[in-house]
Amino acid sequence: MEFRTTSNCKYSCDTATHTLHWINAIIRFLKPFTFFMHAHVVNFFKDRLWESVDKEWMDCLRNEPIENLLLIPSGVVQDHWPASLKDFIVTLRSLVFPREQVDLHTVLPGLHVFSLNSVLAQGMNMKKKHEVEVLSAVVNSIADSARGHTIVDVGAGQGYLAQVLSFQYQHSVVAIDACSHHGSITDARAERIKKHYAAQMRKSETGNWSLNVPKTITCQVMSIDMLKALTGMSLHKDDAEQLRPLEEDNAKLEGEKYRSLCNANNDTSLVLAGLHACGDLSVTMLKTFLACKEVKAIVSIGCCYNLLSEEGIDKTETQCGFPMSAGVKSAGFSLGKNSRDLACQSAERWRGMEKDAGLHNFELHSFRAAFQMVLCKYYPEVMITNPSIGRQGKTLRRRQHRKVEYPLNHKEIVCPSLHSNMKGSCCNIEPTELETDKNSGLALDTDVLFHGHSSTKSTRCEGTKSVDKYALFEKFSQSGLCRLGLKPSQDIKFHEIWKEAEPFAELIGPYWSLRAALGPLLETFLLLDRLLFLQEQGSSLEVIMLPIFDPEVSPRNVAIIAKKILTQL
């Protein structure tokens, strides 16, 4: 397997030496901009974050059209910008791993991507269908070349990938997921697909064709030993019986039992596959690949870097997800939670955003940052808990064509029901704002929210008037307090807060765009750390990192593919 970058990236990751050189170049670039990495945009007004940025840059970008700001994360610069600003953006982009979908046929000769039929594709959206079509073909190719007997789909979700590998490619598949509900859905869906194929076989009188159905396992993968135990089992009934205690109480099993289970099937040849395995799960997969000799190959596409544990920062009883490689560990360069959040930003999502949607997002960011000032001044005790009121930019945009359920001139604020902390997920450009659950009385058509008219009419957004912004900010804040379970006080002077924040609200767009440009670079850094971890193992492995999806459809498109050299198999 060989892959050469075709973009303007001047770095290579084909050897451990080259990869470490690239990593060190990224670290040198990032060090002067740690104020961007560690910042939290909700503190924009409170901490006067714009003052940490070159004044010439901010003075230039504050008057820049929204369309140009949205292109900054993609590395697009304008001729009239200051030379230092252009150099920052261009140099940054030169360090980013290229995301253009690779021609897989040149890297994996003989690979053929099948278009899924309506039965296998049932329930998939366009993004998921694209991902499963491509990844299943890649995993099939790697499994064949590595002589893999069984494919283990880690973090299988509803089993889309596992079922395509079973029914389309006729592999034996184990689907592991922490959610028992997902396992039930996978089993039920697989039975429906099996009936369809069985009927097709009867019609064509090809009864000798066997049907493989994925074996589903519900288990919270908490350690390498646990995943080793799961991957070390075949699909026979005896192994399923051994597996039962794992499903019942996986947290209490000791490492020795994991190891004995894994070593029980030394003749088993396994391939690990993970489609957007969350946070530390992708890391656990890579470590299991090395630790378990039965695993001959791995195809891993990670996501949710915000959920990664980090050495020296997160308190955890298990090994941390970052850093992995000795090279990055020796560099001593930490990221922190905000930087890992930032790594989830997608240049493609920014570039594909319409002007109106971008403006709405920046305005909502200003409301959330001003609301932070309310909390700081009137509820200082709440600030200790690092309050979150939810990320709901997608929710608002999905409701752009729905009728308004709560008129702006209504005087009453209906408090949404309180929820526990939302599970972390990869965010793209969604701001942190109120959850607009349609049962809470806060589901608003965003055009009504911002402009007082429905989005069913074709209009063009030119920004919200100042007086309207204050009214929206007050309603945002009142609802935010309810969301946090706080009783709104009559003493809160929302107007004074907004008057203090509003003169600098136009700087949020430039600031957030510059900061978001670091997202793809931070993701590159995290991915190269994982790649280097494998490359440091020496010549016993063949490893490559490829952008296998169309980034416009699926921005988290980089797969780490590794095989143990044939002589080791």
Side-chain angles (χ1 to χ4, degrees):
M1 296 182 293
E2 186 175 359
F3 168 60
R4 297 286 182 182
T5 62
T6 57
S7 69
N8 60 353
C9 179
K10 60 182 181 181
Y11 295 90
S12 168
C13 56
D14 55 352
T15 68
T17 300
H18 290 160
T19 302
L20 184 58
H21 176 66
W22 192 343
I23 287 171
N24 287 331
I26 291 174
I27 292 174
R28 286 194 300 271
F29 178 86
L30 287 175
K31 279 184 176 179
F33 301 103
T34 53
F35 63 87
F36 263 146
M37 292 168 47
H38 301 315
H40 201 320
V41 181
V42 298
N43 296 321
F44 184 77
F45 298 126
K46 182 177 74 71
D47 295 342
R48 301 180 69 87
L49 296 179
W50 64 90
E51 292 183 349
S52 60
V53 185
D54 189 313
K55 187 176 184 299
E56 186 182 19
W57 295 8
M58 298 302 286
D59 287 343
C60 170
L61 294 179
R62 73 189 303 168
N63 298 314
E64 200 66 23
I66 291 290
E67 300 94 315
N68 291 349
L69 296 181
L70 296 175
L71 292 175
I72 288 177
S74 295
V76 179
V77 299
Q78 307 301 320
D79 291 340
H80 62 275
W81 289 359
S84 60
L85 174 57
K86 290 189 286 188
D87 182 66
F88 166 78
I89 296 171
V90 171
T91 303
L92 186 158
R93 286 301 299 182
S94 73
L95 289 163
V96 172
F97 186 78
R99 297 310 178 87
E100 297 82 6
Q101 185 179 18
V102 68
D103 182 0
L104 289 169
H105 301 92
T106 62
V107 182
L108 301 171
L111 176 140
H112 181 69
V113 178
F114 292 97
S115 179
L116 298 183
N117 61 43
S118 59
V119 176
L120 285 174
Q122 184 178 10
M124 299 185 196
N125 58 24
M126 181 187 72
K127 176 177 178 289
K128 183 63 69 177
K129 183 173 182 287
H130 170 68
E131 293 168 346
V132 171
E133 285 178 343
V134 175
L135 185 57
S136 61
V138 171
V139 172
N140 174 67
S141 175
I142 297 300
D144 287 347
S145 65
R147 303 174 187 173
H149 301 149
T150 301
I151 296 170
V152 182
D153 182 5
V154 183
Q158 297 185 34
Y160 294 134
L161 176 64
Q163 288 155 4
V164 171
L165 288 168
S166 291
F167 292 106
Q168 180 82 51
Y169 292 99
Q170 287 295 291
H171 287 289
S172 295
V173 182
V174 177
I176 303 175
D177 197 84
C179 177
S180 59
H181 177 62
H182 284 167
S184 300
I185 292 175
T186 300
D187 288 338
R189 190 172 184 274
E191 283 302 313
R192 292 196 299 270
I193 297 172
K194 182 180 179 181
K195 288 180 181 178
H196 168 80
Y197 277 95
Q200 294 293 102
M201 289 163 54
R202 286 193 295 271
K203 288 180 181 179
S204 60
E205 298 181 351
T206 55
N208 292 329
W209 187 37
S210 63
L211 286 174
N212 286 319
V213 178
K215 164 67 181 176
T216 59
I217 298 173
T218 299
C219 182
Q220 183 76 38
V221 179
M222 302 171 66
S223 69
I224 302 170
D225 284 333
M226 180 178 290
L227 188 52
K228 282 174 64 178
L230 298 173
T231 56
M233 294 179 179
S234 68
L235 299 177
H236 296 104
K237 290 183 179 179
D238 291 343
D239 290 319
E241 289 302 315
Q242 292 184 69
L243 190 60
R244 198 172 307 282
L246 281 172
E247 298 184 13
E248 293 173 354
D249 196 358
N250 55 63
K252 293 182 180 179
L253 290 179
E254 297 179 357
E256 286 302 319
K257 186 167 185 178
Y258 296 138
R259 284 186 281 275
S260 65
L261 287 171
C262 185
N263 293 330
N265 292 288
N266 291 331
D267 59 340
T268 304
S269 179
L270 303 163
V271 175
L272 292 183
L275 174 54
H276 296 149
C278 237
D280 285 346
L281 185 55
S282 290
V283 173
T284 301
M285 287 175 62
L286 295 174
K287 292 179 178 179
T288 302
F289 165 65
L290 295 182
C292 193
K293 63 182 180 181
E294 289 78 16
V295 181
K296 308 304 182 184
I298 183 171
V299 182
S300 171
I301 303 174
C303 75
C304 301
Y305 308 114
N306 51 317
L307 300 182
L308 273 176
S309 58
E310 183 170 355
E311 190 174 289
I313 293 179
D314 298 296
K315 295 180 179 179
T316 176
E317 296 179 359
T318 59
Q319 292 182 333
C320 288
F322 174 82
M324 291 189 70
S325 66
V328 174
K329 287 179 180 178
S330 64
F333 187 73
S334 62
L335 292 179
K337 177 65 165 58
N338 289 342
S339 297
R340 286 182 272 116
D341 280 343
L342 188 55
C344 297
Q345 292 293 320
S346 159
E348 290 76 22
R349 288 284 188 257
W350 278 73
R351 186 170 63 243
M353 183 166 286
E354 297 291 336
K355 170 187 173 181
D356 293 1
L359 186 59
H360 289 174
N361 272 273
F362 293 150
E363 289 178 338
L364 285 167
H365 272 301
S366 69
F367 294 158
R368 179 60 183 89
F371 178 62
Q372 193 80 344
M373 297 173 69
V374 173
L375 295 178
C376 186
K377 184 172 183 178
Y378 295 98
Y379 302 91
E381 70 284 357
V382 175
M383 295 296 290
I384 301 174
T385 65
N386 193 23
S388 172
I389 57 174
R391 296 187 178 97
Q392 297 299 319
K394 284 183 178 178
T395 304
L396 285 173
R397 287 198 292 278
R398 279 198 300 265
R399 290 174 177 151
Q400 282 186 346
H401 297 290
R402 296 184 184 178
K403 290 183 180 180
V404 60
E405 294 182 15
Y406 190 87
L408 287 179
N409 59 2
H410 201 293
K411 294 181 179 180
E412 213 176 11
I413 294 293
V414 181
C415 296
S417 58
L418 299 179
H419 300 276
S420 59
N421 289 336
M422 299 173 63
K423 181 182 178 181
S425 61
C426 287
C427 61
N428 293 312
I429 190 172
E430 291 77 47
T432 303
E433 75 266 11
L434 290 173
E435 179 173 5
T436 52
D437 183 78
K438 64 181 180 180
N439 296 320
S440 70
L442 290 170
L444 300 172
D445 181 311
T446 49
D447 283 311
V448 177
L449 175 65
F450 283 95
H451 312 295
H453 55 73
S454 172
S455 62
T456 56
K457 297 179 180 179
S458 178
T459 57
R460 185 158 186 82
C461 169
E462 294 300 334
T464 312
K465 294 180 180 179
S466 177
V467 61
D468 296 333
K469 283 187 180 181
Y470 166 67
L472 292 170
F473 163 64
E474 184 174 0
K475 290 186 180 295
F476 183 101
S477 298
Q478 294 275 15
S479 301
L481 293 173
C482 289
R483 169 82 179 173
L484 294 172
L486 302 172
K487 183 177 180 180
S489 170
Q490 298 296 323
D491 298 330
I492 300 178
K493 298 179 180 178
F494 291 109
H495 191 271
E496 287 188 6
I497 296 287
W498 185 246
K499 186 177 179 181
E500 181 182 348
E502 188 179 27
F504 308 103
E506 65 181 1
L507 297 177
I508 276 192
Y511 182 90
W512 190 206
S513 301
L514 289 171
R515 185 171 182 268
L518 291 173
L521 182 59
L522 289 166
E523 182 180 21
T524 296
F525 180 54
L526 288 166
L527 292 172
L528 290 176
D529 172 51
R530 297 176 183 185
L531 178 67
L532 181 60
F533 169 73
L534 295 177
Q535 291 173 331
E536 288 173 341
Q537 309 308 313
S539 59
S540 61
L541 303 179
E542 185 179 3
V543 58
I544 192 172
M545 196 161 78
L546 295 173
I548 67 171
F549 302 143
D550 179 349
E552 302 292 336
V553 178
S554 179
R556 299 277 88 79
N557 72 339
V558 178
I560 293 178
I561 303 172
K563 294 190 299 181
K564 291 171 182 174
I565 299 299
L566 198 59
T567 56
Q568 302 292 321
L569 301 181

